[in-house]
Amino acid sequence: MAIGLYIHVPFCRQKCAYCDFYSLPVRAEAVERYLQLLLREAAMRGTGQTVNTVFLGGGTPSLLTAQQVSTVLEGVSRYFCLTKDVEITLEANPETLQPANLTAYRQLGINRLSIGVQTLSPRLLLPLGRRHTAQQALDAIEWAQGAGFDNISCDLIYGIPGQSLADWQQDVRMLATRGLAHLSLYSLEIYDATPLGQTIADGGLQLPADDLVADMYDWARLYLPQQGLEQYEISNFARPGRECRHNLNYWHNGEYIGLGPAACSYIQGVRQCNKADLKAYEQALEAGRSAVEFCERLDEEGTAVETVILALRLNSGINKESFAQRFGRDLEDVFGEEIRELLQKGWLEPTEQGYRLPWHMRPLANVVFTSFLRTSNT
Ligand code: SF4
């Protein structure tokens, strides 16, 4: 069975004002050193497992030169067996992309780009503290297409302080008409410890009202299918066949290995996460030890709960036959009570193969997920 491989690149040119991820300021020597550590970890964890998706995420992986990306890909292929049709995604920030590095990435076998556009409004880029301009984002898309990328995804954020419905519609429209294969739409999450969180807490900026944020999401999920981008997950839209295979594996509760600080793995029912600190990660690997700092084995019930919750993120929902094949029990035998109750409330709907969230519950998915979580605690 093939697994996914996630490779974390924790460097950024500058911290965005809303960002709560683990990332560090980029320095050339630190990057070179880091790539050696990554390959050391790959050597420790790779035993020739078949890998059908590779995702270089961050941070800002597009800060790596083509030569560095080549070192990583060649390195991991020594320890993992990449399938012929492997999906290789590179996350990129617009200001790091140029025709030359895009062409080189494509030649190396990167076949999917995920570009962090976030918004095309110059006014709204400011509170986010992004380094790029709207024009750089549009240029990056055009150059990527020119370099031969036919599987491009862009991220957009809604619910930005000062954002109107019209601002949002303009962002979505401008991207939807650029022949992209995939769009991810994220509601802005505010973390108190970030500069944006602080500004909002101090009253310097105000978030849009919840109703307006809900309208933004609803408008986009009605509009995008008209442009050929079908919603297939709560936050994700794709042209047919262009769903992100790497993330589909997560949502199908499949196995994956993550390399790098803060990266998590899920193999044979065991979830492990690496230390979220480059220094500690380095020390562990230098000493020939694993960099894992958190490890849990999920029991069968916990795994079943996770499988249902993750599958319900997808429009296709939970498939009864796949569930029975995986757990040797019928879905209704395990979750009959919850399913009956949710169907009665109209929070779940039957499909030909199983169940899924109805349209009106997708923005409220967590409420449904909580019903299944109770099962695992009883
Ligand atoms: S580029 Fe991404 S990871 Fe880096 S600071 Fe900005 S949001 Fe965070």
Side-chain angles (χ1 to χ4, degrees):
M1 199 62 167
I3 64 168
L5 181 65
Y6 175 78
I7 300 171
H8 192 59
V9 180
F11 304 104
C12 292
R13 283 220 175 114
Q14 134 190 330
K15 195 87 181 162
C16 302
Y18 59 97
C19 179
D20 186 44
F21 294 139
Y22 177 65
S23 70
L24 297 162
V26 64
R27 278 186 301 113
E29 335 74 72
V31 174
E32 286 297 335
R33 172 84 199 113
Y34 177 64
L35 299 186
Q36 298 315 312
L37 292 170
L38 260 186
L39 296 186
R40 197 176 287 192
E41 192 188 8
M44 284 169 77
R45 308 199 67 153
T47 53
Q49 301 94 321
T50 304
V51 164
N52 62 0
T53 66
V54 177
F55 196 103
L56 289 130
T60 310
S62 55
L63 285 172
L64 299 186
T65 63
Q67 182 55 51
Q68 289 168 328
V69 172
S70 164
T71 304
V72 172
L73 292 180
E74 270 180 31
V76 296
S77 13
R78 286 203 290 275
Y79 311 110
F80 298 92
C81 177
L82 274 50
T83 57
K84 271 209 180 100
D85 67 340
V86 62
E87 173 192 271
I88 308 182
T89 303
L90 180 90
E91 270 189 343
N93 277 9
E95 75 280 8
T96 61
L97 297 176
Q98 298 292 334
N101 66 352
L102 283 161
T103 303
Y105 289 150
R106 186 71 197 89
Q107 282 167 356
L108 289 173
I110 305 282
N111 49 28
R112 187 170 182 277
L113 265 192
S114 172
I115 307 178
V117 173
Q118 317 312 4
T119 173
L120 289 167
S121 155
R123 178 173 54 82
L124 298 173
L125 281 166
L126 287 177
L128 295 181
R130 300 287 293 179
R131 269 187 73 101
H132 56 87
T133 63
Q135 190 56 49
Q136 279 176 311
L138 295 175
D139 288 346
I141 294 169
E142 202 181 311
W143 292 334
Q145 288 168 332
F149 283 97
D150 62 357
N151 195 358
I152 302 173
S153 177
C154 286
D155 290 353
L156 277 179
I157 293 180
Y158 59 100
I160 304 169
Q163 190 176 33
S164 66
L165 184 59
D167 291 328
W168 171 243
Q169 289 171 334
Q170 181 161 326
D171 279 354
V172 177
R173 280 201 182 101
M174 281 176 82
L175 287 188
T177 50
R178 279 183 155 70
L180 300 171
H182 191 282
L183 270 183
S184 299
L185 311 183
Y186 299 112
S187 164
L188 180 64
E189 287 198 32
I190 300 298
Y191 300 94
D192 292 345
T194 60
L196 182 59
Q198 279 302 308
T199 310
I200 289 171
D202 297 344
L205 284 172
Q206 260 196 331
L207 288 171
D210 289 349
D211 281 357
L212 173 55
V213 176
D215 286 350
M216 291 179 185
Y217 179 64
D218 284 346
W219 178 83
R221 62 195 182 121
L222 283 172
Y223 171 77
L224 287 173
Q226 296 165 19
Q227 308 304 314
L229 288 149
E230 291 294 336
Q231 184 175 21
Y232 71 101
E233 194 267 347
I234 291 171
S235 308
N236 288 283
F237 300 75
R239 296 194 191 278
R242 293 304 198 174
E243 299 83 3
C244 174
R245 282 166 46 198
H246 185 80
N247 287 340
L248 278 177
N249 180 48
Y250 291 140
W251 295 316
H252 288 137
N253 209 7
E255 295 190 317
Y256 54 89
I257 286 181
L259 304 178
C264 294
S265 305
Y266 178 57
I267 294 285
Q268 293 178 349
V270 177
R271 175 170 306 112
Q272 298 181 324
C273 293
N274 281 346
K275 297 171 196 289
D277 175 83
L278 183 55
K279 195 83 212 139
Y281 174 80
E282 179 171 359
Q283 280 166 355
L285 290 170
E286 294 256 302
R289 284 185 277 110
S290 130
V292 168
E293 80 164 352
F294 165 84
C295 182
E296 68 172 346
R297 174 174 285 284
L298 292 175
D299 61 14
E300 184 151 292
E301 187 162 322
T303 310
V305 168
E306 281 205 356
T307 302
V308 170
I309 289 177
L310 288 166
L312 287 176
R313 294 191 63 88
L314 295 165
N315 276 26
S316 51
I318 178 80
N319 183 304
K320 292 201 262 191
E321 202 179 310
S322 317
F323 184 93
Q325 265 171 17
R326 180 163 181 170
F327 295 100
R329 289 176 73 189
D330 284 346
L331 180 66
E332 280 90 352
D333 286 347
V334 187
F335 297 112
E337 209 176 300
E338 288 75 14
I339 291 173
R340 262 192 307 281
E341 201 178 302
L342 290 167
L343 286 171
Q344 258 173 16
K345 286 183 183 164
W347 290 6
L348 210 59
E349 66 184 16
T351 64
E352 271 179 32
Q353 290 84 25
Y355 302 97
R356 69 176 182 182
L357 295 181
W359 161 270
H360 71 281
M361 287 309 290
R362 284 186 202 147
L364 304 168
N366 285 338
V367 178
V368 178
F369 298 163
T370 310
S371 314
F372 288 99
L373 281 178
R374 262 186 240 133
T375 302
S376 72
N377 295 332
T378 52

